[in-house]
PDB file of all heavy atoms in Angstrom:
ATOM      1  N   LYS W  47     141.723  90.257 -97.771  1.00  0.00           N
ATOM      2  CA  LYS W  47     141.029  91.310 -97.017  1.00  0.00           C
ATOM      3  C   LYS W  47     141.609  92.660 -97.420  1.00  0.00           C
ATOM      4  O   LYS W  47     142.733  92.716 -97.917  1.00  0.00           O
ATOM      5  CB  LYS W  47     141.282  91.139 -95.512  1.00  0.00           C
ATOM      6  CG  LYS W  47     140.844  89.836 -94.901  1.00  0.00           C
ATOM      7  CD  LYS W  47     141.253  89.829 -93.417  1.00  0.00           C
ATOM      8  CE  LYS W  47     140.907  88.536 -92.733  1.00  0.00           C
ATOM      9  NZ  LYS W  47     141.381  88.481 -91.344  1.00  0.00           N
ATOM     10  N   ARG W 100     147.594  87.834 -96.707  1.00  0.00           N
ATOM     11  CA  ARG W 100     146.558  88.260 -95.753  1.00  0.00           C
ATOM     12  C   ARG W 100     145.303  87.429 -96.021  1.00  0.00           C
ATOM     13  O   ARG W 100     144.691  87.560 -97.087  1.00  0.00           O
ATOM     14  CB  ARG W 100     146.271  89.753 -95.942  1.00  0.00           C
ATOM     15  CG  ARG W 100     145.064  90.228 -95.188  1.00  0.00           C
ATOM     16  CD  ARG W 100     144.981  91.735 -95.094  1.00  0.00           C
ATOM     17  NE  ARG W 100     145.976  92.257 -94.184  1.00  0.00           N
ATOM     18  CZ  ARG W 100     145.947  93.490 -93.676  1.00  0.00           C
ATOM     19  NH1 ARG W 100     144.984  94.315 -94.002  1.00  0.00           N
ATOM     20  NH2 ARG W 100     146.882  93.883 -92.840  1.00  0.00           N
ATOM     21  N   LEU W 122     148.667  89.234 -91.798  1.00  0.00           N
ATOM     22  CA  LEU W 122     147.436  89.247 -91.000  1.00  0.00           C
ATOM     23  C   LEU W 122     146.509  88.094 -91.382  1.00  0.00           C
ATOM     24  O   LEU W 122     146.160  87.927 -92.544  1.00  0.00           O
ATOM     25  CB  LEU W 122     146.641  90.564 -91.100  1.00  0.00           C
ATOM     26  CG  LEU W 122     145.374  90.642 -90.227  1.00  0.00           C
ATOM     27  CD1 LEU W 122     145.317  91.932 -89.432  1.00  0.00           C
ATOM     28  CD2 LEU W 122     144.137  90.505 -91.060  1.00  0.00           C
ATOM     29  N   HIS W 127     148.973  88.723 -86.263  1.00  0.00           N
ATOM     30  CA  HIS W 127     149.454  89.848 -87.070  1.00  0.00           C
ATOM     31  C   HIS W 127     150.918  90.111 -86.669  1.00  0.00           C
ATOM     32  O   HIS W 127     151.227  91.115 -86.028  1.00  0.00           O
ATOM     33  CB  HIS W 127     148.579  91.070 -86.802  1.00  0.00           C
ATOM     34  CG  HIS W 127     148.659  92.118 -87.871  1.00  0.00           C
ATOM     35  ND1 HIS W 127     149.435  91.995 -88.994  1.00  0.00           N
ATOM     36  CD2 HIS W 127     148.050  93.337 -87.978  1.00  0.00           C
ATOM     37  CE1 HIS W 127     149.301  93.078 -89.748  1.00  0.00           C
ATOM     38  NE2 HIS W 127     148.465  93.907 -89.150  1.00  0.00           N
ATOM     39  N   ASN W 157     141.945  89.297 -79.921  1.00  0.00           N
ATOM     40  CA  ASN W 157     141.945  88.948 -81.354  1.00  0.00           C
ATOM     41  C   ASN W 157     143.364  88.700 -81.895  1.00  0.00           C
ATOM     42  O   ASN W 157     144.310  88.520 -81.122  1.00  0.00           O
ATOM     43  CB  ASN W 157     141.241  90.065 -82.132  1.00  0.00           C
ATOM     44  CG  ASN W 157     141.982  91.403 -82.011  1.00  0.00           C
ATOM     45  OD1 ASN W 157     143.106  91.465 -81.534  1.00  0.00           O
ATOM     46  ND2 ASN W 157     141.342  92.471 -82.448  1.00  0.00           N
ATOM     47  N   ASN W 158     143.468  88.709 -83.230  1.00  0.00           N
ATOM     48  CA  ASN W 158     144.750  88.497 -83.913  1.00  0.00           C
ATOM     49  C   ASN W 158     145.862  89.424 -83.411  1.00  0.00           C
ATOM     50  O   ASN W 158     146.981  88.982 -83.137  1.00  0.00           O
ATOM     51  CB  ASN W 158     144.570  88.649 -85.435  1.00  0.00           C
ATOM     52  CG  ASN W 158     143.693  89.829 -85.855  1.00  0.00           C
ATOM     53  OD1 ASN W 158     143.365  90.709 -85.062  1.00  0.00           O
ATOM     54  ND2 ASN W 158     143.294  89.835 -87.127  1.00  0.00           N
ATOM     55  N   VAL W 159     145.536  90.722 -83.295  1.00  0.00           N
ATOM     56  CA  VAL W 159     146.540  91.697 -82.860  1.00  0.00           C
ATOM     57  C   VAL W 159     146.957  91.402 -81.416  1.00  0.00           C
ATOM     58  O   VAL W 159     148.149  91.395 -81.078  1.00  0.00           O
ATOM     59  CB  VAL W 159     145.990  93.136 -83.025  1.00  0.00           C
ATOM     60  CG1 VAL W 159     146.862  94.162 -82.328  1.00  0.00           C
ATOM     61  CG2 VAL W 159     145.857  93.468 -84.510  1.00  0.00           C
ATOM     62  N   ASP W 222     142.524  97.849 -80.092  1.00  0.00           N
ATOM     63  CA  ASP W 222     142.288  97.536 -81.508  1.00  0.00           C
ATOM     64  C   ASP W 222     140.776  97.605 -81.728  1.00  0.00           C
ATOM     65  O   ASP W 222     139.993  97.673 -80.762  1.00  0.00           O
ATOM     66  CB  ASP W 222     142.851  96.141 -81.825  1.00  0.00           C
ATOM     67  CG  ASP W 222     142.736  95.770 -83.306  1.00  0.00           C
ATOM     68  OD1 ASP W 222     142.592  96.682 -84.143  1.00  0.00           O
ATOM     69  OD2 ASP W 222     142.780  94.560 -83.630  1.00  0.00           O
ATOM     70  N   VAL W 223     140.365  97.527 -82.964  1.00  0.00           N
ATOM     71  CA  VAL W 223     138.934  97.576 -83.296  1.00  0.00           C
ATOM     72  C   VAL W 223     138.156  96.496 -82.543  1.00  0.00           C
ATOM     73  O   VAL W 223     138.697  95.447 -82.215  1.00  0.00           O
ATOM     74  CB  VAL W 223     138.696  97.384 -84.816  1.00  0.00           C
ATOM     75  CG1 VAL W 223     139.208  98.585 -85.586  1.00  0.00           C
ATOM     76  CG2 VAL W 223     139.332  96.095 -85.335  1.00  0.00           C
ATOM     77  N   SER W 226     136.629  93.034 -86.046  1.00  0.00           N
ATOM     78  CA  SER W 226     137.693  92.820 -87.028  1.00  0.00           C
ATOM     79  C   SER W 226     137.094  92.497 -88.388  1.00  0.00           C
ATOM     80  O   SER W 226     135.913  92.145 -88.497  1.00  0.00           O
ATOM     81  CB  SER W 226     138.587  91.664 -86.571  1.00  0.00           C
ATOM     82  OG  SER W 226     139.425  92.089 -85.523  1.00  0.00           O
ATOM     83  N   MET W 227     137.947  92.577 -89.417  1.00  0.00           N
ATOM     84  CA  MET W 227     137.498  92.283 -90.773  1.00  0.00           C
ATOM     85  C   MET W 227     136.933  90.860 -90.829  1.00  0.00           C
ATOM     86  O   MET W 227     137.572  89.930 -90.340  1.00  0.00           O
ATOM     87  CB  MET W 227     138.674  92.431 -91.749  1.00  0.00           C
ATOM     88  CG  MET W 227     139.085  93.875 -91.949  1.00  0.00           C
ATOM     89  SD  MET W 227     140.461  94.047 -93.099  1.00  0.00           S
ATOM     90  CE  MET W 227     141.860  93.991 -91.993  1.00  0.00           C
ATOM     91  N   PRO W 262     146.758  99.645 -83.886  1.00  0.00           N
ATOM     92  CA  PRO W 262     147.321  99.251 -85.180  1.00  0.00           C
ATOM     93  C   PRO W 262     146.664  99.959 -86.363  1.00  0.00           C
ATOM     94  O   PRO W 262     147.198  99.900 -87.476  1.00  0.00           O
ATOM     95  CB  PRO W 262     147.046  97.749 -85.239  1.00  0.00           C
ATOM     96  CG  PRO W 262     145.814  97.554 -84.402  1.00  0.00           C
ATOM     97  CD  PRO W 262     145.903  98.582 -83.304  1.00  0.00           C
ATOM     98  N   LEU W 263     145.503 100.600 -86.143  1.00  0.00           N
ATOM     99  CA  LEU W 263     144.727 101.276 -87.186  1.00  0.00           C
ATOM    100  C   LEU W 263     144.176 100.250 -88.194  1.00  0.00           C
ATOM    101  O   LEU W 263     144.835  99.239 -88.402  1.00  0.00           O
ATOM    102  CB  LEU W 263     145.550 102.354 -87.906  1.00  0.00           C
ATOM    103  CG  LEU W 263     146.128 103.463 -87.001  1.00  0.00           C
ATOM    104  CD1 LEU W 263     146.970 104.427 -87.847  1.00  0.00           C
ATOM    105  CD2 LEU W 263     145.024 104.236 -86.279  1.00  0.00           C
ATOM    106  N   PRO W 264     143.067 100.493 -88.828  1.00  0.00           N
ATOM    107  CA  PRO W 264     142.240 101.693 -88.738  1.00  0.00           C
ATOM    108  C   PRO W 264     141.502 101.791 -87.401  1.00  0.00           C
ATOM    109  O   PRO W 264     141.137 100.762 -86.826  1.00  0.00           O
ATOM    110  CB  PRO W 264     141.238 101.510 -89.889  1.00  0.00           C
ATOM    111  CG  PRO W 264     141.162 100.035 -90.114  1.00  0.00           C
ATOM    112  CD  PRO W 264     142.527  99.498 -89.781  1.00  0.00           C
TER     113      PRO W 264
HETATM  114  N1  NVA F   1     141.930  93.137 -85.702  1.00  0.00           N
HETATM  115  C1  NVA F   1     141.919  93.906 -86.926  1.00  0.00           C
HETATM  116  C2  NVA F   1     143.319  94.361 -87.249  1.00  0.00           C
HETATM  117  C3  NVA F   1     143.478  95.198 -88.478  1.00  0.00           C
HETATM  118  C4  NVA F   1     144.888  95.651 -88.711  1.00  0.00           C
HETATM  119  C5  NVA F   1     141.328  93.063 -88.040  1.00  0.00           C
HETATM  120  O1  NVA F   1     141.659  91.879 -88.121  1.00  0.00           O
HETATM  121  O2  NVA F   1     140.540  93.576 -88.811  1.00  0.00           O
END
Side-chain angles (χ1 to χ4, degrees):
K47 301 177 182 176
R100 170 166 288 196
L122 183 131
H127 200 1
N157 63 11
N158 43 12
V159 168
D222 184 20
V223 291
S226 285
M227 289 180 268
L263 302 178

